[in-house]
Amino acid sequence: MHPSARSARPAAVLALALAAALVAPGAATAATTEPTPATTTGPATTTSPSSTTTADPTSTTSTGGTTTTTGAPTTTAPTGPAPTTTGTASGSTTGSSSTSTSASTTTSTATSPAASTATSAAARAASTATVPFDTSNAASQARLSGSTAEQAGYAAGFMVRTLAARGDHYNYPGGTYFDGGNTVDAVLGLDGAKVGKAEADAAFAYLEQNVGGYIGTDYSSLYAGPTGKVLLAVVAHGGDPRDVGPKHVDLLAQLQSSLGAAEPGRYSDLPATGCGYDVCDYSNTTGQALDIIGVGRATGSAPKEAVDYLLAQQCADGGFRGDLGAAGGSCTSDVDATAFAVQAAIGLRGTVDPAVTRALTFLAGKQAANGGFLNGDGQYNANTAGVAAQAFAAGGRNAELARAQGFLASLQLDCTFASDLRGGIAFTAADRSTLASKPGDTAALDRALRATPQATLGLAGGTLLSAGSDGATTVVPAPTCPTSATSTTSTATATTGATTGAPTGSAAGTNAPAAPAGAPAASATPGALAFTGADVAMTALAGLLLLLVGAAALVLARRKGVHA
């Protein structure tokens, strides 16, 4: 044998051995190290700001994300008319009496006669006729199992953290004035999700201590919508509606005093006239519905004149208008107002009543393919979808409910965000994108703080008829997020199919939580599998090259041996 052949064979064997050492581990790693899948909890849809109208300080606005009844943002006696309940996503928690309308709203004539506008003493007298109110009239809608229940739990966890960081309550964006409406929504959301009871109790206690400023009684006034909203929360959370707060406010008596003050059947702000301003009464359809639901849940019935007045606000297309009005005038249906009103109607008449069926059909007709609803600003938002989901749950419209929940899930902040922000729900897809690129955008974060409570109750499959603290636990769910092998920050496992972006920062002096240093940026490819191991491609390639070299050396050695 030629000497060169003898020297080539050991080299070939060595090359083959090295190749095996490189290729085998890489193949094993590729086979066993499976990237964590990005769990998609809902379709990638966008949400629009909910346009909920609330009377006076009960402004259920779709501007900040929550359809919440809010109190006048002032720490002293109000110097102007109470803030109106706006139903548009204007970004303002207070404002004039304008109400938002759905982008695709239709104008028609009210089909049922409105109550007379006469304000005689007889009209203001308390009505003795009542209509039975039964929360069991709603369709049987237990907490949904699976992903939606988990998502509601994660959203509840976000509320627990943000409430605790703000003294167990929410304030109006950019200020220190108590936002009672949003705090009520948070309590109802936690009660609906059946988790976070300790924080729900703390927020409820703060609400009771500060109820007078929110409903106006501290200023010798009364805001009808906020009063009904607080009454609903008190009943749902197990309080005494006739003895609330340090001044022992009787919410039922307060509402009774407002019934018929402006016109028969209408729950009105007080004083309804003679307040020194052009407009004294900012009550609206959402507030009327909340008052009826609150009184109905507290007493088992509602005044017939109040019920008739609410039903008179239904338009020819089945929806309810946002502003209260007399019969014969134009009637423009509003999605948010309809979602509240139909829940009240279900408590009064059940799910098969013609008025209820028409209202639910109206809502279903306004639902987009992505499960969301447009507001007056042309935005798909979490608040409107949240209250519509509640209406669908109460009415037993499971298909529409599932689509609305999928839309809400698409706005949820996932594992790409800082741990203290996970579970929150952005107001719109645009806000989500903004927060992804500008985590310090306080406006988008404030809207998320106001969107999450109403969205949570919708995700939980809960309603204003069923929300309650019975059976709630102190558990605070948090998503399990994988940790990257190459980073000290959390890896993003997308929980939705939408683009990601989370409120991860705040400017000084705002209510938004600050993003911790090193918070991970949004995933460039949402929904993609998370990277959980080392890259084995280069190692495998080197092994293959060595295999080729070794094989060539053996061939060369054999040839030289033959010719030796």
Side-chain angles (χ1 to χ4, degrees):
M1 180 179 293
H2 195 283
S4 62
R6 286 192 295 269
S7 62
R9 286 182 177 176
V13 172
L14 177 61
L16 290 173
L18 288 173
L22 289 170
V23 173
T29 301
T32 60
T33 304
E34 205 174 299
T36 302
T39 60
T40 58
T41 57
T45 58
T46 58
T47 63
S48 67
S50 94
S51 59
T52 68
T53 64
T54 61
D56 22 279
T58 74
S59 73
T60 67
T61 75
S62 44
T63 66
T66 80
T67 312
T68 63
T69 60
T70 62
T74 160
T75 55
T76 60
T79 57
T84 126
T85 69
T86 61
T88 62
S90 64
S92 168
T93 55
T94 63
S96 61
S97 59
S98 63
T99 61
S100 72
T101 61
S102 167
S104 53
T105 57
T106 58
T107 300
S108 57
T109 301
T111 55
S112 51
S116 167
T117 58
T119 57
S120 62
R124 288 192 296 269
S127 172
T128 57
T130 61
V131 176
F133 190 95
D134 189 352
T135 58
S136 66
N137 287 340
S140 177
Q141 190 67 55
R143 284 185 64 211
L144 299 181
S145 61
S147 62
T148 53
E150 292 172 351
Q151 290 156 353
Y154 299 152
F158 172 82
M159 287 192 292
V160 167
R161 296 190 299 273
T162 53
L163 282 167
R166 291 161 176 76
D168 305 319
H169 69 284
Y170 289 126
N171 290 332
Y172 283 98
T176 59
Y177 191 81
F178 174 46
D179 186 347
N182 199 30
T183 303
V184 167
D185 285 331
V187 172
L188 293 175
L190 291 172
D191 284 350
K194 301 299 182 187
V195 296
K197 188 177 185 301
E199 185 55 44
D201 289 344
F204 181 74
Y206 188 96
L207 174 67
E208 285 192 309
Q209 289 298 310
N210 296 275
V211 66
Y214 174 54
I215 68 173
T217 53
D218 281 356
Y219 314 124
S220 299
S221 301
L222 185 72
Y223 310 136
T227 303
K229 193 165 190 176
V230 171
L231 174 58
L232 173 58
V234 169
V235 175
H237 208 69
D240 182 354
R242 295 193 180 278
D243 185 6
V244 180
K247 296 183 179 180
H248 309 287
V249 178
D250 185 337
L251 297 174
L252 289 168
Q254 292 290 338
L255 280 178
Q256 187 63 41
S257 70
S258 78
L259 182 60
E263 55 183 315
R266 177 172 178 169
Y267 285 108
S268 302
D269 298 339
L270 299 176
T273 60
C275 64
Y277 301 96
D278 293 338
V279 178
C280 299
D281 183 10
Y282 289 93
S283 56
N284 56 31
T285 301
T286 296
Q288 184 85 4
L290 289 170
D291 292 336
I292 289 175
I293 294 172
V295 171
R297 289 192 61 173
T299 67
S301 64
K304 183 178 184 302
E305 59 179 322
V307 173
D308 291 343
Y309 189 85
L310 174 64
L311 296 177
Q313 307 310 312
Q314 189 168 28
C315 301
D317 60 2
F320 284 74
R321 55 186 161 198
D323 284 331
L324 297 170
S330 64
C331 192
T332 302
S333 294
D334 178 83
V335 172
D336 294 89
T338 302
F340 285 96
V342 73
Q343 291 185 73
I346 289 171
L348 294 162
R349 297 188 169 192
T351 60
V352 298
D353 181 80
V356 170
T357 300
R358 290 170 55 228
L360 290 172
T361 300
F362 168 82
L363 286 177
K366 296 301 180 184
Q367 188 174 34
N370 65 6
F373 297 81
L374 284 175
N375 67 352
D377 290 339
Q379 298 171 302
Y380 292 103
N381 69 91
N383 288 88
T384 301
V387 296
Q390 297 166 27
F392 288 140
R397 297 292 187 98
N398 293 335
E400 291 89 348
L401 170 61
R403 286 195 290 271
Q405 289 174 321
F407 172 75
L408 293 170
S410 74
L411 296 179
Q412 193 159 39
L413 309 183
D414 54 32
C415 289
T416 58
F417 305 117
S419 59
D420 59 338
L421 300 175
R422 293 169 189 162
I425 298 173
F427 183 45
T428 64
D431 273 1
R432 205 164 187 271
S433 297
T434 296
L435 291 167
S437 58
K438 299 177 182 178
D441 191 295
T442 56
L445 179 53
D446 282 334
R447 287 190 289 269
L449 290 172
R450 295 171 64 77
T452 302
Q454 288 183 332
T456 299
L457 186 56
L459 274 175
T463 75
L464 298 179
L465 304 177
S466 64
S469 60
D470 291 346
T473 71
T474 58
V475 172
V476 182
T480 301
C481 299
T483 300
S484 170
T486 58
S487 172
T488 58
T489 59
S490 299
T491 303
T493 298
T495 56
T496 72
T499 56
T500 61
T504 55
S506 66
T510 67
N511 300 320
S523 172
T525 56
L529 297 179
F531 183 74
T532 58
D535 190 347
V536 300
M538 294 305 297
T539 303
L541 179 59
L544 289 174
L545 291 175
L546 285 172
L547 282 173
L548 293 175
V549 170
L554 285 176
V555 171
L556 178 61
R558 289 178 179 177
R559 286 182 177 177
K560 289 185 177 181
V562 171
H563 293 286

